[in-house]
Amino acid sequence: LFPIWLQVNPDQTQSMEMTAWYTTITDTVDGSIISQSNNIYIGIVAIISAALAIYSLLQYKNRKKQLLINMINALMMASTLGLAVYTSFQANPTVGGAFLIGFYSIVFGLIMNLIANRFIRKDEMLIRSVDRIR
């Protein structure tokens, strides 16, 4: 939904914006699109990651399965992050751009997934310790 990366050339005449679906080069003077290339692979991996997160949320009764799904989801989000960085450097390797909210939302989701895994594991250990007391 949000742009991942933005780069404006030194002359301030063109800007390059990358989303999960397209990389668009726009003329900043008149606002016309110069070229547009597909990044559909980033969007597909992000949708798969979101679907895994929703599915994991619904698996609260089976914590081991939930941990496994979250670990797979962490790999999917890391690959989304890697694809975003790789695509941004392939778009224009000479002049660096700025990562935007779309990039940082992936990082935020990855951190939240790792925290969720920690608390699921902690809950599993608590349940096992209670079973031992009985």
PDB file of all heavy atoms in Angstrom, residues 4-21:
ATOM      1  N   ILE A   4       7.900   2.029  -0.984  1.00  0.00           N
ATOM      2  CA  ILE A   4       9.010   1.409  -0.267  1.00  0.00           C
ATOM      3  C   ILE A   4      10.267   2.259  -0.356  1.00  0.00           C
ATOM      4  O   ILE A   4      11.003   2.400   0.613  1.00  0.00           O
ATOM      5  CB  ILE A   4       9.269  -0.005  -0.831  1.00  0.00           C
ATOM      6  CG1 ILE A   4       8.049  -0.885  -0.605  1.00  0.00           C
ATOM      7  CG2 ILE A   4      10.497  -0.626  -0.210  1.00  0.00           C
ATOM      8  CD1 ILE A   4       8.137  -2.242  -1.274  1.00  0.00           C
ATOM      9  N   TRP A   5      10.494   2.842  -1.527  1.00  0.00           N
ATOM     10  CA  TRP A   5      11.756   3.536  -1.769  1.00  0.00           C
ATOM     11  C   TRP A   5      11.516   4.706  -2.701  1.00  0.00           C
ATOM     12  O   TRP A   5      10.684   4.619  -3.612  1.00  0.00           O
ATOM     13  CB  TRP A   5      12.736   2.540  -2.377  1.00  0.00           C
ATOM     14  CG  TRP A   5      14.085   3.054  -2.713  1.00  0.00           C
ATOM     15  CD1 TRP A   5      15.098   3.333  -1.842  1.00  0.00           C
ATOM     16  CD2 TRP A   5      14.594   3.319  -4.013  1.00  0.00           C
ATOM     17  NE1 TRP A   5      16.205   3.751  -2.534  1.00  0.00           N
ATOM     18  CE2 TRP A   5      15.916   3.742  -3.869  1.00  0.00           C
ATOM     19  CE3 TRP A   5      14.069   3.231  -5.277  1.00  0.00           C
ATOM     20  CZ2 TRP A   5      16.716   4.086  -4.953  1.00  0.00           C
ATOM     21  CZ3 TRP A   5      14.856   3.568  -6.356  1.00  0.00           C
ATOM     22  CH2 TRP A   5      16.175   3.992  -6.187  1.00  0.00           C
ATOM     23  N   LEU A   6      12.239   5.801  -2.501  1.00  0.00           N
ATOM     24  CA  LEU A   6      12.120   6.982  -3.354  1.00  0.00           C
ATOM     25  C   LEU A   6      13.507   7.557  -3.590  1.00  0.00           C
ATOM     26  O   LEU A   6      14.308   7.654  -2.659  1.00  0.00           O
ATOM     27  CB  LEU A   6      11.232   8.040  -2.688  1.00  0.00           C
ATOM     28  CG  LEU A   6      11.073   9.352  -3.442  1.00  0.00           C
ATOM     29  CD1 LEU A   6      10.218   9.134  -4.694  1.00  0.00           C
ATOM     30  CD2 LEU A   6      10.446  10.392  -2.551  1.00  0.00           C
ATOM     31  N   GLN A   7      13.749   7.935  -4.837  1.00  0.00           N
ATOM     32  CA  GLN A   7      15.022   8.545  -5.194  1.00  0.00           C
ATOM     33  C   GLN A   7      14.746   9.685  -6.163  1.00  0.00           C
ATOM     34  O   GLN A   7      13.997   9.524  -7.125  1.00  0.00           O
ATOM     35  CB  GLN A   7      15.945   7.499  -5.827  1.00  0.00           C
ATOM     36  CG  GLN A   7      17.328   7.970  -6.148  1.00  0.00           C
ATOM     37  CD  GLN A   7      17.466   8.424  -7.582  1.00  0.00           C
ATOM     38  OE1 GLN A   7      16.877   7.849  -8.481  1.00  0.00           O
ATOM     39  NE2 GLN A   7      18.230   9.452  -7.794  1.00  0.00           N
ATOM     40  N   VAL A   8      15.314  10.840  -5.887  1.00  0.00           N
ATOM     41  CA  VAL A   8      15.194  11.996  -6.770  1.00  0.00           C
ATOM     42  C   VAL A   8      16.589  12.291  -7.300  1.00  0.00           C
ATOM     43  O   VAL A   8      17.554  12.349  -6.534  1.00  0.00           O
ATOM     44  CB  VAL A   8      14.619  13.219  -6.022  1.00  0.00           C
ATOM     45  CG1 VAL A   8      14.523  14.414  -6.939  1.00  0.00           C
ATOM     46  CG2 VAL A   8      13.264  12.888  -5.425  1.00  0.00           C
ATOM     47  N   ASN A   9      16.688  12.490  -8.651  1.00  0.00           N
ATOM     48  CA  ASN A   9      18.021  12.734  -9.213  1.00  0.00           C
ATOM     49  C   ASN A   9      18.546  14.104  -8.779  1.00  0.00           C
ATOM     50  O   ASN A   9      17.781  14.967  -8.349  1.00  0.00           O
ATOM     51  CB  ASN A   9      18.006  12.559 -10.733  1.00  0.00           C
ATOM     52  CG  ASN A   9      17.250  13.643 -11.456  1.00  0.00           C
ATOM     53  OD1 ASN A   9      16.566  14.459 -10.848  1.00  0.00           O
ATOM     54  ND2 ASN A   9      17.355  13.645 -12.764  1.00  0.00           N
ATOM     55  N   PRO A  10      19.864  14.326  -8.867  1.00  0.00           N
ATOM     56  CA  PRO A  10      20.452  15.581  -8.375  1.00  0.00           C
ATOM     57  C   PRO A  10      19.913  16.840  -9.072  1.00  0.00           C
ATOM     58  O   PRO A  10      19.930  17.919  -8.491  1.00  0.00           O
ATOM     59  CB  PRO A  10      21.948  15.417  -8.655  1.00  0.00           C
ATOM     60  CG  PRO A  10      22.157  13.945  -8.709  1.00  0.00           C
ATOM     61  CD  PRO A  10      20.888  13.364  -9.249  1.00  0.00           C
ATOM     62  N   ASP A  11      19.435  16.715 -10.294  1.00  0.00           N
ATOM     63  CA  ASP A  11      18.909  17.880 -11.014  1.00  0.00           C
ATOM     64  C   ASP A  11      17.477  18.216 -10.604  1.00  0.00           C
ATOM     65  O   ASP A  11      16.927  19.211 -11.070  1.00  0.00           O
ATOM     66  CB  ASP A  11      18.935  17.616 -12.531  1.00  0.00           C
ATOM     67  CG  ASP A  11      20.331  17.330 -13.040  1.00  0.00           C
ATOM     68  OD1 ASP A  11      21.295  17.809 -12.411  1.00  0.00           O
ATOM     69  OD2 ASP A  11      20.451  16.623 -14.060  1.00  0.00           O
ATOM     70  N   GLN A  12      16.849  17.367  -9.779  1.00  0.00           N
ATOM     71  CA  GLN A  12      15.467  17.534  -9.339  1.00  0.00           C
ATOM     72  C   GLN A  12      14.477  17.505 -10.505  1.00  0.00           C
ATOM     73  O   GLN A  12      13.425  18.129 -10.458  1.00  0.00           O
ATOM     74  CB  GLN A  12      15.292  18.848  -8.559  1.00  0.00           C
ATOM     75  CG  GLN A  12      16.167  19.005  -7.348  1.00  0.00           C
ATOM     76  CD  GLN A  12      15.722  18.106  -6.214  1.00  0.00           C
ATOM     77  OE1 GLN A  12      14.545  17.943  -5.968  1.00  0.00           O
ATOM     78  NE2 GLN A  12      16.689  17.525  -5.532  1.00  0.00           N
ATOM     79  N   THR A  13      14.826  16.775 -11.574  1.00  0.00           N
ATOM     80  CA  THR A  13      13.932  16.706 -12.733  1.00  0.00           C
ATOM     81  C   THR A  13      13.197  15.375 -12.832  1.00  0.00           C
ATOM     82  O   THR A  13      12.167  15.303 -13.487  1.00  0.00           O
ATOM     83  CB  THR A  13      14.717  16.923 -14.038  1.00  0.00           C
ATOM     84  OG1 THR A  13      15.759  15.950 -14.120  1.00  0.00           O
ATOM     85  CG2 THR A  13      15.312  18.326 -14.083  1.00  0.00           C
ATOM     86  N   GLN A  14      13.733  14.330 -12.219  1.00  0.00           N
ATOM     87  CA  GLN A  14      13.097  13.018 -12.263  1.00  0.00           C
ATOM     88  C   GLN A  14      13.092  12.396 -10.866  1.00  0.00           C
ATOM     89  O   GLN A  14      14.020  12.610 -10.084  1.00  0.00           O
ATOM     90  CB  GLN A  14      13.842  12.067 -13.201  1.00  0.00           C
ATOM     91  CG  GLN A  14      13.734  12.417 -14.649  1.00  0.00           C
ATOM     92  CD  GLN A  14      14.489  11.417 -15.511  1.00  0.00           C
ATOM     93  OE1 GLN A  14      15.189  10.551 -15.012  1.00  0.00           O
ATOM     94  NE2 GLN A  14      14.343  11.552 -16.807  1.00  0.00           N
ATOM     95  N   SER A  15      12.058  11.626 -10.606  1.00  0.00           N
ATOM     96  CA  SER A  15      12.014  10.879  -9.347  1.00  0.00           C
ATOM     97  C   SER A  15      11.692   9.425  -9.665  1.00  0.00           C
ATOM     98  O   SER A  15      10.972   9.130 -10.613  1.00  0.00           O
ATOM     99  CB  SER A  15      10.974  11.463  -8.389  1.00  0.00           C
ATOM    100  OG  SER A  15       9.673  11.258  -8.890  1.00  0.00           O
ATOM    101  N   MET A  16      12.249   8.546  -8.865  1.00  0.00           N
ATOM    102  CA  MET A  16      12.017   7.112  -9.024  1.00  0.00           C
ATOM    103  C   MET A  16      11.388   6.610  -7.728  1.00  0.00           C
ATOM    104  O   MET A  16      11.952   6.782  -6.653  1.00  0.00           O
ATOM    105  CB  MET A  16      13.338   6.393  -9.292  1.00  0.00           C
ATOM    106  CG  MET A  16      13.194   4.922  -9.590  1.00  0.00           C
ATOM    107  SD  MET A  16      14.787   4.130  -9.894  1.00  0.00           S
ATOM    108  CE  MET A  16      15.381   5.024 -11.307  1.00  0.00           C
ATOM    109  N   GLU A  17      10.189   6.024  -7.844  1.00  0.00           N
ATOM    110  CA  GLU A  17       9.474   5.533  -6.674  1.00  0.00           C
ATOM    111  C   GLU A  17       9.206   4.049  -6.846  1.00  0.00           C
ATOM    112  O   GLU A  17       8.741   3.618  -7.893  1.00  0.00           O
ATOM    113  CB  GLU A  17       8.158   6.288  -6.497  1.00  0.00           C
ATOM    114  CG  GLU A  17       7.392   5.867  -5.278  1.00  0.00           C
ATOM    115  CD  GLU A  17       6.086   6.618  -5.152  1.00  0.00           C
ATOM    116  OE1 GLU A  17       5.254   6.531  -6.067  1.00  0.00           O
ATOM    117  OE2 GLU A  17       5.923   7.288  -4.126  1.00  0.00           O
ATOM    118  N   MET A  18       9.494   3.291  -5.797  1.00  0.00           N
ATOM    119  CA  MET A  18       9.275   1.852  -5.839  1.00  0.00           C
ATOM    120  C   MET A  18       8.196   1.490  -4.840  1.00  0.00           C
ATOM    121  O   MET A  18       8.249   1.870  -3.670  1.00  0.00           O
ATOM    122  CB  MET A  18      10.560   1.099  -5.498  1.00  0.00           C
ATOM    123  CG  MET A  18      10.428  -0.404  -5.613  1.00  0.00           C
ATOM    124  SD  MET A  18      11.941  -1.284  -5.255  1.00  0.00           S
ATOM    125  CE  MET A  18      11.976  -1.219  -3.491  1.00  0.00           C
ATOM    126  N   THR A  19       7.196   0.745  -5.309  1.00  0.00           N
ATOM    127  CA  THR A  19       6.178   0.173  -4.446  1.00  0.00           C
ATOM    128  C   THR A  19       6.324  -1.349  -4.536  1.00  0.00           C
ATOM    129  O   THR A  19       7.226  -1.848  -5.206  1.00  0.00           O
ATOM    130  CB  THR A  19       4.763   0.586  -4.874  1.00  0.00           C
ATOM    131  OG1 THR A  19       4.505   0.078  -6.180  1.00  0.00           O
ATOM    132  CG2 THR A  19       4.605   2.098  -4.874  1.00  0.00           C
ATOM    133  N   ALA A  20       5.427  -2.071  -3.904  1.00  0.00           N
ATOM    134  CA  ALA A  20       5.492  -3.533  -3.967  1.00  0.00           C
ATOM    135  C   ALA A  20       5.097  -4.053  -5.341  1.00  0.00           C
ATOM    136  O   ALA A  20       5.349  -5.210  -5.649  1.00  0.00           O
ATOM    137  CB  ALA A  20       4.594  -4.142  -2.908  1.00  0.00           C
ATOM    138  N   TRP A  21       4.504  -3.213  -6.171  1.00  0.00           N
ATOM    139  CA  TRP A  21       4.021  -3.671  -7.469  1.00  0.00           C
ATOM    140  C   TRP A  21       4.791  -3.073  -8.638  1.00  0.00           C
ATOM    141  O   TRP A  21       4.984  -3.740  -9.647  1.00  0.00           O
ATOM    142  CB  TRP A  21       2.538  -3.363  -7.615  1.00  0.00           C
ATOM    143  CG  TRP A  21       1.746  -3.925  -6.487  1.00  0.00           C
ATOM    144  CD1 TRP A  21       1.207  -3.242  -5.441  1.00  0.00           C
ATOM    145  CD2 TRP A  21       1.471  -5.302  -6.242  1.00  0.00           C
ATOM    146  NE1 TRP A  21       0.602  -4.109  -4.579  1.00  0.00           N
ATOM    147  CE2 TRP A  21       0.732  -5.377  -5.044  1.00  0.00           C
ATOM    148  CE3 TRP A  21       1.749  -6.474  -6.931  1.00  0.00           C
ATOM    149  CZ2 TRP A  21       0.289  -6.579  -4.517  1.00  0.00           C
ATOM    150  CZ3 TRP A  21       1.293  -7.669  -6.396  1.00  0.00           C
ATOM    151  CH2 TRP A  21       0.573  -7.712  -5.209  1.00  0.00           C
TER     152      TRP A  21
END
